[in-house]
Amino acid sequence: MNLVSCSVVSNHELNPGNFLITLKVPRGFARPQPGQFVHLRVGDGFEPLLRRPYSLEGFMEKGSLRAVRIYYSVVGRGSAVLARQQKGTKLDLIGPLGIGFAPRPRRLPILVAGGRGVAPLLFLSRRLRERKRPYVFLYGARSKAELYGVREVRGGRVHLATDDGSIGYKGSVMDLLAREWSESGQTPLTAEIFTCGPHGLLHAISDFARDRGIRCEASLEGPMACAVGACRGCPVPLLPGVDSGRYPAMCLEGPVMDATVVDWARLP
Amino acid sequence: MNLVSCSVVSNHELNPGNFLITLKVPRGFARPQPGQFVHLRVGDGFEPLLRRPYSLEGFMEKGSLRAVRIYYSVVGRGSAVLARQQKGTKLDLIGPLGIGFAPRPRRLPILVAGGRGVAPLLFLSRRLRERKRPYVFLYGARSKAELYGVREVRGGRVHLATDDGSIGYKGSVMDLLAREWSESGQTPLTAEIFTCGPHGLLHAISDFARDRGIRCEASLEGPMACAVGACRGCPVPLLPGVDSGRYPAMCLEGPVMDATVVDWARLP
Amino acid sequence: MKPSLEVRIGGLTLRNPVLVASGIIGYGREYERLTDLSRIGGIVTKTVTLRPRAGNPPPRVCETPSGMLNSIGIENPGLSGYLEQKVPILRDLPCAAIVSVEGEDVGEFCELVRGVDGSGAAHAIEVNISCPNVGPHGMRYSTDAGMAREVMSAIRPLTKLPLIAKLTPNVTRIAEIAQACEDCGADAVSLVNTFVGMAVDARTRKPILGTVLGGLSGPAIKPLALAKLWETVQAVDIPVIGMGGIARPMDAVEFLLTGATAVEVGTALFANPSLPEECVDAIEESVRLAAGTTVDDLIGALEVPEGRGVIRAGRAARREPGRHAS
Amino acid sequence: MKPSLEVRIGGLTLRNPVLVASGIIGYGREYERLTDLSRIGGIVTKTVTLRPRAGNPPPRVCETPSGMLNSIGIENPGLSGYLEQKVPILRDLPCAAIVSVEGEDVGEFCELVRGVDGSGAAHAIEVNISCPNVGPHGMRYSTDAGMAREVMSAIRPLTKLPLIAKLTPNVTRIAEIAQACEDCGADAVSLVNTFVGMAVDARTRKPILGTVLGGLSGPAIKPLALAKLWETVQAVDIPVIGMGGIARPMDAVEFLLTGATAVEVGTALFANPSLPEECVDAIEESVRLAAGTTVDDLIGALEVPEGRGVIRAGRAARREPGRHAS
Ligand SMILES: Cc1cc2nc3c(=O)[nH]c(=O)nc-3n(C[C@H](O)[C@H](O)[C@H](O)COP(=O)(O)OP(=O)(O)OC[C@H]3O[C@@H](n4cnc5c(N)ncnc54)[C@H](O)[C@@H]3O)c2cc1C
Ligand SMILES: Cc1cc2nc3c(=O)[nH]c(=O)nc-3n(C[C@H](O)[C@H](O)[C@H](O)COP(=O)(O)OP(=O)(O)OC[C@H]3O[C@@H](n4cnc5c(N)ncnc54)[C@H](O)[C@@H]3O)c2cc1C
Ligand SMILES: Cc1cc2nc3c(=O)[nH]c(=O)nc-3n(C[C@H](O)[C@H](O)[C@H](O)COP(=O)(O)O)c2cc1C
Ligand SMILES: Cc1cc2nc3c(=O)[nH]c(=O)nc-3n(C[C@H](O)[C@H](O)[C@H](O)COP(=O)(O)O)c2cc1C
Ligand code: FES
Ligand code: FES
């Protein structure tokens, strides 16, 4: 982990409200793991005052050139400022931070993405491909227009779901997962789930996994101040009985956590 | 006076730290007098929170097209935000506001400009030219590079002063005024002074004028909140005895005021 | 069907719960070309004192991060000036005129209330017992429940007009002052006035304001104003008028949800003179979205987890204390 | 010749007057890769309580205009956890380690001071009597001079380490609390802790923080923090450590000019981990510009017009009151 300055290589709106930004980082920035995030200063001045945490959608390295990619939605002040940053602008970020996805050897990784939650899973899928590991990629969005990066997914079986049925399975990616699981013949000993998306979806998926004893890692989100474990501002509520009421710090023990111990009902 | 939306026609840095911005205004914006100002919202959001007052450097009218010009220095947050506004950006302003210069009939107007204070005097000089009235234009700056708009001044006699002597009289425009006045043979009954610039300069000029009984109008500056006379946030300190300790509102009874009654020592 | 936005402050019914705060809009005329007063509930005038006041030496205003400091010094024409110059202006207003008054002692408060009541132009009186210190009295009226009681009980018998006590946030327990005002017959309390603040120019090594200290207002104080409002609505039964940092239309809704019966727009009016009207629209829209029929469906509708965030002051003391330690 | 930036807090001499505030930097290690602790005066640890605390339910932080609200709930490992896990970390710090402690009653404060004193790793103790309410005790220690006196006089005999009383700004007269601490042997007071605040989500109609109320910090409160500092330095003779909204290097100079002997950097560290070092540079540069030789040439050097802005509290009461009414 390091504080490094970075410069905007490109920053485009890919579909309404969703942007992809590429940031050039110096060699001082360590190679990140899929699921790790950076704490980005989106602009100078006090609006916004705090950095914003973003999962990495990808990491590129060519010779001495290093760059990270972030896929983000404009939901408020910080992301609005970020969306205005032009090519060449200098920003700075702290990272890589947190704990990423940890696929186990000899298990089929089932990646389940909801909406813009696809970002860290695209990063993971590329890593799996490099490792020549097969995987399943389930991706749900409201409509075909909001699907991003599908064509990028290679070396794995992709199944899509859209609320409006404009492509793939018509319905939620949760239902798609249920169908695929039952048809796949996989067992908790042969496969595991990696997911990211709206907390409502993650909640449903973790219930599904718990009921069947499937190992399931989810990437969480929530407001953060320091992002390095100092301020304790990012508590993750755990289910009663788990770890005696302690609140793990999302920035330090997450953002990727064992979904089945998270008390989703108490997570905003 | 009105609240009107405006759009940036152009916004350029003319010399280090000094910009000229042209804003297209609707017909709802009344014809301004030289010395009047506008209260400009330099950007959205809370940084800065308040509008910024700017004297008009000029007003253009072509058919139904109206535009105002502002010559401004980047000295802080608001002006820094303004300097970033690109062509086409929509802003809004309140104006025209305040009381402008009031040249008397049959008197020679002597315009004395210090630095960026030249703005409202350039506007005045054009108006005098339209009226076919002769005038004298004394203009001082640190160096030749910082002189703006000199070539624009027509129909009047121009005398320049620079601290470094890179052009014109070497020294302050105050000394230039003293020299010109004594050589001109003008009297308080034949000429009057209109000035704008750093308050230190205005102080000196108003002392000079008071000692000789010369009528002298100066354009003041200071922080403002409402700029329409409501908040009383812009008091002008007057000399003891003048108007029984009342504080006129700069935005309402100024910004152009009789320089010889202002208590410059108490004006920040 | 259009939801009703009417609210009542004592005997006064307001078209809607959006007012402009004292000291912001003068006596209304200054903004008549900029703000459509016929669309809002009313305005509160600049505070009127018994004698005319020239106000404080410059500079009187200074911008700070998301806020501003002011030290105007209640520049105003005094009661006689008010009666001669301002009353006619207020009579022509297309909205309610709430007249703000401040005395240096109980006697002055009484004279002022009598004078304003007699003038006929006022729909209500906002009693400014909250101004950061003017003269030797310091902030005593605003910071001491006993003094507030003294003032309110002295003026209550002098007028049938709704009396709104305006409180300072610069106290340990604002709810205690609010309760004192309620006990002495105030029809409502309004809060917050400005927070005592200061700005320094490190280069000149001088304070920026001519009076060194000033009052902080603007978006910077909104979280503090909401907390003071929350503390107060738990402690009194009379209407509470909320203000402090309202700068976006939805901010007004936040104050109503927290329990304010009406809101006052302040500093942000300088940047956006249409803000009061936009607040009215946002409130109406919020009532609609909640499938409500009147603004009462918003007031105090904040959903708070059991026993959380309750401040223990006077009447609220019975309940569980909140936790919010750093 | 390089000006000396050394300052003394009781028996402790700091390399320079820049510290990092409690709750911001943990115990130092969390930021060792981001902030060069060898260039600053020291850090104040996260507050340690007698028993371990899990902290408050989420969300615990929320951004506001130029500020942030937090309701962490003093999550910390407790005294025993401190002794086992944190003491070794503090021993290795390249700067002074000031340990912050908070008890729920006088007895707990005593146990904590004994424990920290015994641990050896602390250069000073910051006594957090200012935290917005934790449990039933509410804000009593911080908001009542008598209670402050009780705590300080009980712990003073228990240690030779410098005792710094950290005060809350959520009181009518902070100077009175500061004087009580001075009278009871505090070597210094530090201020401000956070201002009680609240944020509301108008769409969900819920408070944003899990605890409803939280503490406001950041640039938004800087003008308020400077005013509290100004009030306090006029009332006590012991060093005052200033903080609240320091976000740019020159902000630190503003606090020193206003009378602070040292400053603590808080919230802004999250955005700019190098800020403490930049503050040190700005202070050194300001001493130079003023042709000074030591930082003492800055401390309290603010040029204030005669009789302006003086706050009447205790020892300062003799002087003329300031005027800063709206
Ligand atoms: C580890 C981590 C990884 C993340 N990765 C991504 C990513 O890859 N792409 C992406 O678009 N976003 C991501 N987020 C969320 C992102 O940080 C927030 O959306 C962002 O901070 C919003 O900032 P803002 O200033 O635009 O919105 P704000 O003005 O801060 O808030 C606007 C709205 O967004 C809500 N909000 C604020 N913070 C968050 C948050 N952290 N999560 C969800 N809602 C929030 C607020 O409640 C409010 O309703 C991630 C968050 C975390 C903690
Ligand atoms: C009637 C009037 C007409 C003006 N006309 C012009 C003009 O034509 N061109 C131009 O460049 N400026 C003009 N000004 C000054 C201009 O308004 C300020 O420079 C501007 O508000 C600075 O804002 P800022 O946010 O950039 O600086 P701030 O961040 O507000 O302040 C930065 C520095 O500038 C100082 N400052 C702040 N406000 C003023 C002020 N009003 N005057 C002088 N110093 C100030 C501050 O003390 C601080 O040191 C005029 C002011 C008035 C009242
Ligand atoms: C320039 C200015 C002048 C003010 N004058 C008065 C006043 O005369 N009487 C009063 O009760 N409040 C006065 N106030 C306080 C406001 O009415 C309001 O309580 C405060 O500004 C908080 O609201 P805001 O943050 O929306 O501005 C003044 C505020 C400002 C900014
Ligand atoms: C996330 C967070 C946690 C804090 N925790 C503590 C704490 O444990 N003890 C304490 O005395 N102050 C705590 N504070 C208060 C700060 O030390 C400081 O007094 C306050 O934030 C004002 O300074 P600032 O505006 O520079 O942040 C905390 C502040 C924040 C933002
Ligand atoms: S954000 Fe500070 S501990 Fe996680
Ligand atoms: S700025 Fe408000 S009265 Fe002049």
Side-chain angles (χ1 to χ4, degrees):
Chain A
M1 173 267 279
N2 259 321
L3 169 62
V4 300
S5 71
C6 54
S7 64
V8 179
V9 176
S10 67
N11 189 15
H12 304 301
E13 185 164 19
L14 299 184
N15 53 64
N18 292 311
F19 289 68
L20 183 72
I21 188 169
T22 305
L23 298 163
K24 187 172 171 304
V25 292
R27 288 193 69 73
F29 184 84
R31 282 194 189 76
Q33 295 306 315
Q36 286 192 298
F37 69 102
V38 295
H39 209 30
L40 179 66
R41 191 153 186 199
V42 296
D44 45 18
F46 303 147
E47 281 291 296
L49 177 64
L50 300 172
R51 291 168 181 270
R52 295 294 189 258
Y54 286 105
S55 296
L56 295 179
E57 184 271 352
F59 174 71
M60 281 86 46
E61 201 170 7
K62 274 217 196 68
S64 67
L65 281 179
R66 290 185 171 187
V68 294
R69 255 176 13 195
I70 295 168
Y71 181 62
Y72 66 98
S73 326
V74 173
V75 295
R77 290 174 299 166
S79 45
V81 170
L82 185 58
R84 269 193 247 114
Q85 301 300 5
Q86 315 270 345
K87 180 179 190 307
T89 310
K90 290 245 170 307
L91 302 172
D92 65 45
L93 57 80
I94 301 172
L97 296 166
I99 293 173
F101 297 105
R104 299 237 189 121
R106 285 182 306 286
R107 286 203 191 177
L108 176 71
I110 301 174
L111 284 52
V112 186
R116 67 161 169 77
V118 72
L121 296 172
L122 287 173
F123 191 4
L124 176 60
S125 70
R126 284 187 222 100
R127 184 62 55 91
L128 290 168
R129 178 161 176 255
E130 288 162 21
R131 305 262 158 92
K132 308 245 178 334
R133 288 190 56 175
Y135 61 92
V136 176
F137 198 103
L138 309 183
Y139 183 6
R142 264 170 301 185
S143 73
K144 184 176 180 189
E146 287 185 16
L147 291 169
Y148 157 69
V150 182
R151 253 174 273 82
E152 281 224 29
V153 185
R154 300 203 200 78
R157 270 189 298 110
V158 182
H159 302 276
L160 305 175
T162 52
D163 301 343
D164 63 4
S166 47
I167 186 172
Y169 175 85
K170 184 176 196 307
S172 90
V173 71
M174 175 62 240
D175 303 339
L176 179 62
L177 168 63
R179 195 187 69 182
E180 292 298 318
W181 180 262
S182 55
E183 294 177 357
S184 69
Q186 296 288 343
T187 77
L189 295 174
T190 61
E192 56 190 0
I193 298 171
F194 301 94
T195 184
C196 182
H199 286 177
L201 172 67
L202 303 189
H203 189 170
I205 292 177
S206 86
D207 287 348
F208 176 88
R210 193 189 305 98
D211 297 345
R212 292 159 183 73
I214 308 168
R215 181 167 178 272
C216 176
E217 290 188 347
S219 182
L220 280 55
E221 289 187 7
M224 292 183 173
C226 74
V228 296
C231 77
R232 316 307 300 180
C234 59
V236 177
L238 302 180
L239 288 169
V242 180
D243 206 351
S244 60
R246 189 180 72 92
Y247 287 109
M250 187 188 295
C251 65
L252 215 55
E253 303 183 39
V256 175
M257 301 186 82
D258 176 350
T260 59
V261 299
V262 173
D263 188 348
W264 296 100
R266 291 168 58 214
L267 193 69
Chain B
M1 171 267 280
N2 259 321
L3 169 63
V4 299
S5 71
C6 55
S7 64
V8 179
V9 176
S10 65
N11 189 16
H12 303 301
E13 185 164 18
L14 299 184
N15 54 64
N18 292 311
F19 289 68
L20 183 71
I21 188 170
T22 305
L23 297 163
K24 186 172 170 303
V25 292
R27 290 193 69 71
F29 183 84
R31 283 195 189 76
Q33 295 305 316
Q36 285 192 296
F37 69 102
V38 295
H39 209 29
L40 180 66
R41 190 151 186 201
V42 297
D44 46 18
F46 303 148
E47 282 290 298
L49 177 64
L50 299 172
R51 291 168 180 271
R52 296 294 190 254
Y54 285 107
S55 296
L56 295 179
E57 185 271 351
F59 174 72
M60 281 86 48
E61 201 170 9
K62 272 215 198 69
S64 67
L65 281 180
R66 291 186 169 188
V68 295
R69 265 193 342 211
I70 295 168
Y71 181 62
Y72 65 98
S73 325
V74 173
V75 296
R77 291 174 298 165
S79 46
V81 170
L82 185 58
R84 269 193 246 115
Q85 301 300 4
Q86 314 270 344
K87 179 178 200 269
T89 309
K90 289 247 170 311
L91 302 171
D92 64 44
L93 57 80
I94 301 171
L97 295 166
I99 293 173
F101 296 106
R104 299 235 188 121
R106 286 182 306 286
R107 286 203 189 178
L108 176 71
I110 302 174
L111 284 53
V112 187
R116 68 161 167 78
V118 72
L121 296 171
L122 287 172
F123 190 5
L124 176 60
S125 70
R126 282 187 222 100
R127 183 62 55 90
L128 291 168
R129 179 160 176 252
E130 288 160 22
R131 305 259 159 91
K132 308 240 176 337
R133 288 189 57 174
Y135 60 92
V136 176
F137 198 103
L138 309 183
Y139 183 7
R142 265 171 300 184
S143 73
K144 185 177 179 189
E146 287 185 17
L147 292 169
Y148 157 69
V150 182
R151 253 173 272 83
E152 281 221 29
V153 185
R154 302 204 197 77
R157 271 191 296 112
V158 182
H159 302 277
L160 304 176
T162 52
D163 299 344
D164 62 4
S166 46
I167 188 173
Y169 175 85
K170 184 175 194 309
S172 90
V173 69
M174 175 63 240
D175 302 339
L176 178 63
L177 168 64
R179 195 186 69 181
E180 292 298 318
W181 179 263
S182 55
E183 294 177 358
S184 69
Q186 295 288 344
T187 77
L189 295 173
T190 62
E192 56 189 1
I193 298 172
F194 301 94
T195 184
C196 182
H199 286 175
L201 172 66
L202 303 189
H203 190 171
I205 292 177
S206 87
D207 287 350
F208 176 87
R210 192 189 306 96
D211 296 346
R212 293 159 183 72
I214 308 168
R215 180 166 178 275
C216 177
E217 289 187 349
S219 181
L220 280 55
E221 288 186 9
M224 292 183 173
C226 74
V228 297
C231 77
R232 317 307 300 179
C234 60
V236 178
L238 302 179
L239 289 169
V242 181
D243 206 353
S244 61
R246 187 180 73 91
Y247 287 108
M250 187 187 294
C251 66
L252 215 57
E253 304 183 38
V256 175
M257 302 187 80
D258 175 351
T260 59
V261 300
V262 173
D263 188 348
W264 296 99
R266 289 170 58 218
L267 193 69
Chain C
M1 159 227 151
K2 218 173 152 60
S4 156
L5 300 189
E6 277 188 4
V7 294
R8 293 175 60 81
I9 305 294
L12 172 65
T13 299
L14 296 170
R15 179 187 298 141
N16 60 54
V18 180
L19 308 166
V20 178
S22 177
I24 303 298
I25 197 168
Y27 303 83
R29 177 159 294 175
E30 290 83 349
Y31 268 84
E32 63 189 353
R33 317 263 313 258
L34 305 174
T35 304
D36 184 353
L37 301 180
S38 70
R39 288 209 53 216
I40 67 175
I43 68 161
V44 184
T45 68
K46 176 68 183 175
T47 294
V48 178
T49 55
L50 191 57
R51 282 175 298 280
R53 293 177 50 91
N56 290 330
R60 290 182 183 174
V61 298
C62 156
E63 193 169 307
T64 65
S66 299
M68 74 175 270
L69 286 165
N70 88 83
S71 64
I72 307 299
I74 318 248
E75 176 176 341
N76 81 97
L79 181 58
S80 55
Y82 161 77
L83 295 171
E84 291 151 25
Q85 309 149 33
K86 307 305 180 185
V87 164
I89 297 173
L90 297 185
R91 286 231 173 79
D92 296 346
L93 286 179
C95 63
I98 300 173
V99 178
S100 170
V101 300
E102 173 177 356
E104 300 215 348
D105 54 41
V106 177
E108 286 197 8
F109 271 105
C110 292
E111 266 190 80
L112 284 158
V113 168
R114 270 200 217 86
V116 171
D117 178 276
S119 75
H123 294 87
I125 298 177
E126 188 173 73
V127 188
N128 182 6
I129 55 172
S130 58
C131 217
N133 34 317
V134 192
H137 302 288
M139 296 159 57
R140 65 178 214 194
Y141 286 113
S142 51
T143 58
D144 178 293
M147 290 298 189
R149 197 170 261 112
E150 207 183 299
V151 174
M152 294 311 294
S153 45
I155 59 175
R156 179 67 282 183
L158 307 178
T159 180
K160 293 200 161 42
L161 288 174
L163 285 176
I164 303 161
K166 183 165 182 182
L167 310 182
T168 177
N170 301 294
V171 295
T172 308
R173 296 214 185 293
I174 196 169
E176 288 173 4
I177 318 274
Q179 288 165 353
C181 295
E182 178 178 35
D183 295 342
C184 300
D187 297 285
V189 292
S190 61
L191 52 111
V192 294
N193 207 316
T194 55
F195 287 79
V196 177
M198 171 175 173
V200 168
D201 185 329
R203 280 170 190 74
T204 62
R205 297 179 157 211
K206 291 195 173 68
I208 292 179
L209 291 179
T211 51
V212 183
L213 295 167
L216 185 67
S217 62
I221 69 166
K222 194 185 76 171
L224 309 181
L226 281 169
K228 294 292 185 184
L229 171 64
W230 175 241
E231 177 186 348
T232 305
V233 294
Q234 290 174 68
V236 299
D237 302 318
I238 52 176
V240 180
I241 299 172
M243 79 194 88
I246 294 175
R248 296 163 312 165
M250 286 307 278
D251 292 340
V253 176
E254 294 175 10
F255 279 77
L256 295 184
L257 288 169
T258 305
T261 298
V263 297
E264 294 181 18
V265 172
T267 301
L269 188 83
F270 300 144
N272 178 12
S274 322
L275 181 60
E277 306 145 51
E278 294 169 8
C279 288
V280 173
D281 297 337
I283 292 168
E284 185 173 328
E285 187 55 25
S286 298
V287 174
R288 273 224 190 73
L289 282 175
T293 57
T294 81
V295 68
D296 300 336
D297 299 323
L298 283 186
I299 296 170
L302 192 69
E303 295 165 26
V304 176
E306 244 330 298
R308 292 264 181 87
V310 180
I311 297 172
R312 303 161 74 247
R315 279 151 237 196
R318 275 170 266 92
R319 320 176 199 169
E320 265 299 289
R323 305 166 304 169
H324 60 279
S326 309
Chain D
M1 163 222 148
K2 214 173 155 60
S4 156
L5 301 188
E6 278 188 5
V7 295
R8 294 176 60 83
I9 305 293
L12 172 64
T13 299
L14 297 171
R15 178 188 299 143
N16 59 54
V18 179
L19 309 166
V20 177
S22 177
I24 303 298
I25 197 167
Y27 302 83
R29 177 159 294 174
E30 291 83 349
Y31 269 84
E32 63 189 355
R33 318 262 315 256
L34 305 174
T35 305
D36 183 353
L37 300 179
S38 71
R39 289 210 50 218
I40 69 174
I43 68 160
V44 184
T45 69
K46 176 69 183 172
T47 294
V48 178
T49 55
L50 190 56
R51 282 176 297 281
R53 292 177 51 90
N56 289 331
R60 289 182 183 176
V61 299
C62 157
E63 193 169 305
T64 65
S66 300
M68 75 175 269
L69 285 165
N70 87 83
S71 63
I72 307 300
I74 319 244
E75 177 177 340
N76 81 98
L79 181 57
S80 56
Y82 161 78
L83 295 172
E84 291 152 25
Q85 309 149 32
K86 307 305 180 184
V87 164
I89 298 174
L90 298 185
R91 286 234 172 79
D92 296 345
L93 285 180
C95 62
I98 300 174
V99 177
S100 169
V101 299
E102 172 176 0
E104 301 213 347
D105 54 42
V106 176
E108 287 196 8
F109 271 106
C110 292
E111 261 189 85
L112 284 159
V113 168
R114 272 200 216 87
V116 171
D117 179 274
S119 75
H123 293 89
I125 298 177
E126 188 173 72
V127 188
N128 183 6
I129 56 171
S130 59
C131 217
N133 32 316
V134 191
H137 303 289
M139 295 160 60
R140 62 178 220 196
Y141 286 113
S142 51
T143 58
D144 177 293
M147 290 295 188
R149 195 169 260 112
E150 209 183 297
V151 173
M152 295 311 294
S153 46
I155 59 175
R156 179 67 282 184
L158 306 179
T159 181
K160 292 201 162 46
L161 289 173
L163 284 177
I164 304 162
K166 183 165 183 183
L167 310 182
T168 178
N170 300 294
V171 294
T172 308
R173 297 215 184 289
I174 197 168
E176 287 173 5
I177 318 275
Q179 288 166 350
C181 294
E182 179 177 36
D183 295 341
C184 299
D187 297 285
V189 292
S190 61
L191 53 111
V192 296
N193 206 316
T194 55
F195 288 79
V196 178
M198 171 174 174
V200 168
D201 185 329
R203 278 168 193 75
T204 62
R205 298 180 153 211
K206 291 195 173 68
I208 291 178
L209 292 178
T211 51
V212 182
L213 295 167
L216 184 67
S217 62
I221 69 167
K222 195 185 76 172
L224 309 181
L226 283 169
K228 294 291 185 185
L229 171 64
W230 174 242
E231 176 186 349
T232 305
V233 294
Q234 291 175 66
V236 300
D237 302 318
I238 52 176
V240 180
I241 300 172
M243 79 194 87
I246 294 175
R248 296 163 313 163
M250 285 307 279
D251 292 340
V253 176
E254 294 175 10
F255 278 77
L256 294 183
L257 288 169
T258 305
T261 298
V263 297
E264 294 181 19
V265 171
T267 301
L269 188 84
F270 300 145
N272 178 11
S274 322
L275 181 59
E277 305 145 52
E278 294 169 8
C279 287
V280 173
D281 297 337
I283 292 168
E284 184 172 328
E285 187 55 25
S286 298
V287 174
R288 274 225 189 70
L289 282 174
T293 57
T294 79
V295 68
D296 301 335
D297 299 322
L298 283 187
I299 296 169
L302 192 69
E303 296 165 23
V304 177
E306 243 330 298
R308 294 262 182 89
V310 180
I311 297 172
R312 302 158 74 245
R315 281 152 233 194
R318 277 169 266 95
R319 320 177 199 170
E320 266 297 291
R323 305 165 304 171
H324 60 279
S326 306

